[in-house]
Amino acid sequence: MSDIIHLLPDSIANQIAAGEVIQRPASVVKELVENSIDAGATKIQVFIKDAGRTSIQVVDNGKGMSPTDARLSFERHATSKISNAKDLFNLQTMGFRGEALASIASVAQVELKTRQAHDEIGTFIEIEGTQTRQETISCPIGTSFNVKNLFFNVPARRKFLKSNTTELRHISETFQRIALTYPDIYFSLTHNNSDIYLLPQTNLRQRIVQIFGKKINQQLLTIEAKTSIVNISGFVGNIDSAGKSVPQFFFVNGRYMRHPYFHKAVTEAYSRILKPEQTPAYFIYFDINPAAIDINVHPTKTEIKFQDEREIWQILTVCVKEALGKFNVVPSIDFDTEGKIDFPIEQPTIIPKTITPNFDSNYNPFASKRAKKTPIETFEKLYQKQHSIKFAEPQEIVPNSELFDTKNTTNNEYFQYKNKYILTTVKSGLMVINQQRAHMQILFERFLQGDNQEVFSQQLLFPEKIELNTTECSILNEIEPQLKLIGFEISNLGQQTFAVCGIPSLLANCANIEHTIKELLDCAKEHDMKIHSDLNKILAFNLAKSAAISNHQSLTQEEIDDLIDKLFQCENHQFTYDGKPIITIIDDHELEKRFNS
Ligand code: ADP
Ligand code: MG
């Protein structure tokens, strides 16, 4: 029998490798810019056409390549950066696998122009598929790669690319991450001939300002820690910087990384000074012995494993708290953790021991005459179909005999409990309605009905001007039709400035329109605008969430009745869009069980 194993031709092996390294235009930008940094460039310009589909060009003033190196650079495992395994543990460069250029050339048409300082003349190489053409050329010192028609020979991957807005956003994020690591390098990013970023050489603080705007300058608090394990430097934001969508960056040894565990360390340091939905801005740089982190990570992965994770957690916590304390952001600093290893412990949900019912003592249920009665029986029947729902945390409600005295409460009468729940009796027991979720659901369904109502958008007397960053602009352009459906009228004034001329009338009392819009953009970003048909719902839900009454709001009897009426008119009054129960019933059986046990 003849042998059946054969080696794949290089062109195919490279394409397979490309699938790993080059996932989208942003990956090409990352690889080329990192190469320029490795080549010692002090000026790196990135030119993009059609979100990278047509062309991605990176021009640098680095050390350039000799004619032979230029040709070799496209070979797989061709690298000038390591020559033996030992070097792996002492990496000073961004790249080392020698895989990127081979991968890129296997899925795109590539042009390279390069010249070294001591050469009079440079090298031009053009690669398309397996065809290579090399010539001498006159060109400036440094290197210019132009990657054209990415995935031209892999139609499935080309089709897989997302909208231009999404791809451009990925490019812009990649670019930001690198630009924030090398403030001493001039970077520019240009898309279809318009400049997105022009970042002259500067210091770190100013680089952050260049990217995120002047306002952030006063919000940055310096952090610094030098220890035998790790050096930490950078900035954390003060309270004013906090929000739902704020820049948060970790870098380790000059590389962007994601680190949920350290993220928690930072946010916990703020736990006493920020609202639960707020999160602080931060730009934190770890400098650590490369041997103490896992460098053998996948080239596209941004997670990094640290050997001394727990110790670093503590150092990080102390230096963030110190920065906050120094600038009088928190009343006192917790120094008693010094010397101790303070492992993070999951706080069990605190269950209140005694609950004092908070309701209107003047309220007489017999006096209240509601015009419309809710069809409670029907509702209850509906509800009982949901066998799967159990009253999850029975401890939360301690029935108070007075409160539930049947003499005082009759069917169809509602009252507020703890400014958070609305209670009533139903045939099978005690019904508890979460007022915030109820209101959320009412608003949610209304927002969604928006497209049938013409009077839905309310014109603002004075249009509100908002300024957005590049990412937000591109998301806004993409979801503008959806925002219109739920009642926003926004016009583009150019230069990343927009005028909000109309808002959903249900938001008429909204204090901070800019904030609300930014939150919506953020939520669209989070959902990657994948599921366009659901985007309306997601936006409507988020809007409803921010417009709904709070969990601590005292309601008048009229308001309670109105809320309940509207809730039962909802198509779905049992669950919110994100699947949380709005209503629960503690049935008589459950109650009896408690008294008998
Ligand atoms: P790696 O960066 O892992 O070494 P690449 O495929 O990205 O692998 O690059 C291969 C080689 O090509 C590099 O090691 C370097 O010698 C050379 N090279 C790539 N880009 C540049 C550049 N912009 N300037 C100078 N040399 C470069
Ligand atoms: Mg490289």
Side-chain angles (χ1 to χ4, degrees):
M1 215 170 129
S2 62
D3 297 334
I4 53 169
I5 296 181
H6 55 261
L7 288 174
L8 287 174
D10 263 0
S11 56
I12 297 184
N14 287 343
Q15 262 192 22
I16 295 170
E20 300 257 296
V21 188
I22 307 301
Q23 296 174 332
R24 53 181 2 138
S27 338
V28 176
V29 173
K30 173 174 180 287
E31 293 299 335
L32 295 182
V33 173
E34 286 186 350
N35 280 347
S36 298
I37 293 170
D38 285 345
T42 55
K43 182 173 184 180
I44 302 174
Q45 297 166 281
V46 184
F47 302 94
I48 306 290
K49 289 246 158 70
D50 305 324
R53 274 170 230 270
T54 310
S55 133
I56 300 164
Q57 192 183 6
V58 174
V59 182
D60 72 43
N61 62 353
K63 65 181 182 204
M65 283 179 266
S66 70
T68 316
D69 281 353
R71 203 174 49 248
L72 263 179
S73 69
F74 292 101
E75 294 294 327
R76 199 140 173 244
H77 305 307
T79 179
S80 53
K81 300 171 192 173
I82 57 169
S83 42
N84 56 44
K86 213 173 75 216
D87 293 348
L88 263 178
F89 296 95
N90 192 22
L91 274 175
Q92 306 291 333
T93 53
M94 312 279 286
F96 61 89
R97 297 163 161 262
E99 219 163 42
L101 292 183
S103 299
I104 293 171
S106 74
V107 291
Q109 295 145 357
V110 182
E111 280 174 14
L112 160 64
K113 290 178 200 160
T114 186
R115 175 160 79 90
Q116 293 183 303
H118 52 77
D119 287 339
E120 290 276 291
I121 201 116
T123 306
F124 171 82
I125 291 183
E126 188 181 43
I127 297 190
E128 182 180 335
T130 47
Q131 305 289 316
T132 308
R133 190 162 67 88
Q134 180 158 357
E135 282 169 15
T136 50
I137 188 181
S138 95
C139 62
I141 295 170
T143 303
S144 153
F145 277 101
N146 191 358
V147 175
K148 296 190 292 187
N149 302 319
L150 182 64
F151 301 133
F152 77 104
N153 53 355
V154 203
R157 284 199 83 90
R158 197 165 165 92
K159 237 169 72 191
F160 197 66
L161 291 177
K162 299 258 172 62
S163 68
N164 276 7
T165 323
T166 306
E167 293 304 340
L168 193 61
R169 180 160 49 80
H170 283 286
I171 292 174
S172 159
E173 278 171 3
T174 303
F175 181 89
Q176 281 184 4
R177 289 169 185 177
I178 302 178
L180 284 170
T181 329
Y182 295 92
D184 48 349
I185 298 181
Y186 172 112
F187 286 102
S188 70
L189 176 65
T190 306
H191 182 238
N192 291 343
N193 301 324
S194 73
D195 295 330
I196 300 182
Y197 293 109
L198 287 179
L199 314 175
Q201 294 171 298
T202 180
N203 59 24
L204 181 56
R205 181 184 270 270
Q206 288 309 318
R207 175 57 51 94
I208 295 172
V209 172
Q210 287 172 342
I211 297 178
F212 296 100
K214 279 199 199 96
K215 211 169 83 189
I216 203 164
N217 199 10
Q218 311 98 285
Q219 302 172 341
L220 297 177
L221 313 173
T222 310
I223 59 163
E224 176 113 61
K226 287 201 159 85
T227 71
S228 55
I229 302 176
V230 66
N231 290 342
I232 299 176
S233 62
F235 302 96
V236 293
N238 66 9
I239 309 180
D240 298 339
S241 80
K244 248 188 181 166
S245 161
V246 294
Q248 296 180 323
F249 292 88
F250 282 131
F251 300 90
V252 58
N253 296 352
R255 215 174 251 282
Y256 169 82
M257 71 160 178
R258 232 185 269 279
H259 209 292
Y261 183 72
F262 292 162
H263 170 78
K264 211 162 160 238
V266 178
T267 49
E268 281 192 5
Y270 283 81
S271 61
R272 277 187 291 159
I273 51 172
L274 294 185
K275 294 193 200 118
E277 71 275 12
Q278 284 185 320
T279 173
Y282 59 79
F283 304 84
I284 299 179
Y285 296 74
F286 298 85
D287 190 9
I288 192 165
N289 176 358
I293 53 173
D294 187 357
I295 48 153
N296 196 12
V297 283
H298 192 274
T300 59
K301 290 262 156 61
T302 43
E303 277 89 9
I304 286 186
K305 184 103 194 65
F306 286 69
Q307 246 167 41
D308 305 311
E309 219 162 54
R310 286 171 175 174
E311 289 78 1
I312 299 175
W313 162 291
Q314 208 194 4
I315 297 165
L316 185 58
T317 306
V318 170
C319 79
V320 174
K321 280 190 180 174
E322 198 185 25
L324 294 175
K326 232 189 236 164
F327 296 92
N328 283 333
V329 182
V330 276
S332 69
I333 322 163
D334 252 345
F335 274 124
D336 55 3
T337 50
E338 225 168 334
K340 282 193 251 157
I341 301 286
D342 180 12
F343 300 142
I345 317 162
E346 286 282 37
Q347 288 278 331
T349 331
I350 297 154
I351 299 160
K353 287 210 181 71
T354 46
I355 292 178
T356 341
N358 179 358
F359 61 96
D360 184 356
S361 52
N362 295 325
Y363 167 54
N364 174 358
F366 297 106
S368 159
K369 286 196 186 60
R370 297 177 59 230
K372 250 200 286 172
K373 294 278 182 201
T374 308
I376 197 76
E377 270 91 357
T378 339
F379 164 71
E380 195 186 359
K381 255 186 235 142
L382 249 176
Y383 181 79
Q384 280 167 348
K385 281 192 196 141
Q386 301 282 335
H387 296 299
S388 56
I389 311 146
K390 289 244 165 68
F391 185 55
E393 288 163 78
Q395 301 95 314
E396 258 190 23
I397 290 185
V398 181
N400 173 316
S401 57
E402 221 181 304
L403 190 64
F404 297 106
D405 189 338
T406 46
K407 267 186 272 161
N408 282 341
T409 319
T410 60
N411 256 5
N412 301 354
E413 299 299 346
Y414 301 89
F415 55 89
Q416 201 182 16
Y417 174 67
K418 287 233 137 188
N419 285 348
K420 185 171 178 185
Y421 300 107
I422 294 165
L423 308 184
T424 191
T425 54
V426 288
K427 261 211 240 147
S428 61
L430 174 67
M431 177 156 74
V432 185
I433 299 162
N434 181 314
Q435 68 179 43
Q436 188 184 34
R437 289 185 191 164
H439 193 213
M440 238 162 74
Q441 184 64 13
I442 296 165
L443 294 177
F444 171 68
E445 294 203 0
R446 296 212 160 177
F447 284 132
L448 281 183
Q449 284 159 9
D451 44 350
N452 313 323
Q453 297 174 11
E454 273 170 13
V455 281
F456 180 68
S457 179
Q458 175 170 319
Q459 293 297 306
L460 292 177
L461 209 51
F462 304 100
E464 183 160 330
K465 236 189 195 179
I466 52 172
E467 272 178 40
L468 301 178
N469 65 30
T470 329
T471 314
E472 290 167 337
C473 278
S474 63
I475 299 173
L476 181 64
N477 286 333
E478 182 116 331
I479 67 168
E480 213 263 332
Q482 267 96 350
L483 289 178
K484 205 164 176 184
L485 274 186
I486 54 178
F488 281 102
E489 259 179 56
I490 300 175
S491 49
N492 191 341
L493 305 177
Q495 296 199 321
Q496 313 198 352
T497 309
F498 294 80
V500 185
C501 309
I503 57 170
S505 45
L506 290 170
L507 278 191
N509 299 324
C510 173
N512 194 339
I513 296 171
E514 178 172 355
H515 180 74
T516 309
I517 289 179
K518 287 195 168 165
E519 273 192 354
L520 289 178
L521 295 175
D522 195 42
C523 127
K525 177 180 164 192
E526 225 167 72
H527 288 82
D528 213 6
M529 295 172 273
K530 265 183 261 172
I531 17 173
H532 277 261
S533 58
D534 276 356
L535 192 60
N536 288 348
K537 288 189 186 153
I538 295 168
L539 292 179
F541 177 65
N542 272 273
L543 207 50
K545 224 158 104 183
S546 48
I549 51 168
S550 84
N551 255 336
H552 325 279
Q553 192 160 329
S554 149
L555 300 175
T556 64
Q557 192 58 41
E558 228 178 341
E559 286 166 338
I560 295 175
D561 294 345
D562 187 51
L563 186 78
I564 298 299
D565 272 350
K566 288 184 174 142
L567 174 67
F568 292 144
Q569 285 161 21
C570 281
E571 219 168 278
N572 174 2
H573 38 243
Q574 301 181 39
F575 292 102
T576 58
Y577 177 64
D578 60 346
K580 302 218 172 101
I582 299 168
I583 297 168
T584 191
I585 291 178
I586 312 172
D587 61 25
D588 295 342
H589 180 70
E590 163 80 32
L591 279 177
E592 251 149 58
K593 222 170 65 194
R594 282 157 172 261
F595 286 114
N596 294 332
S597 59

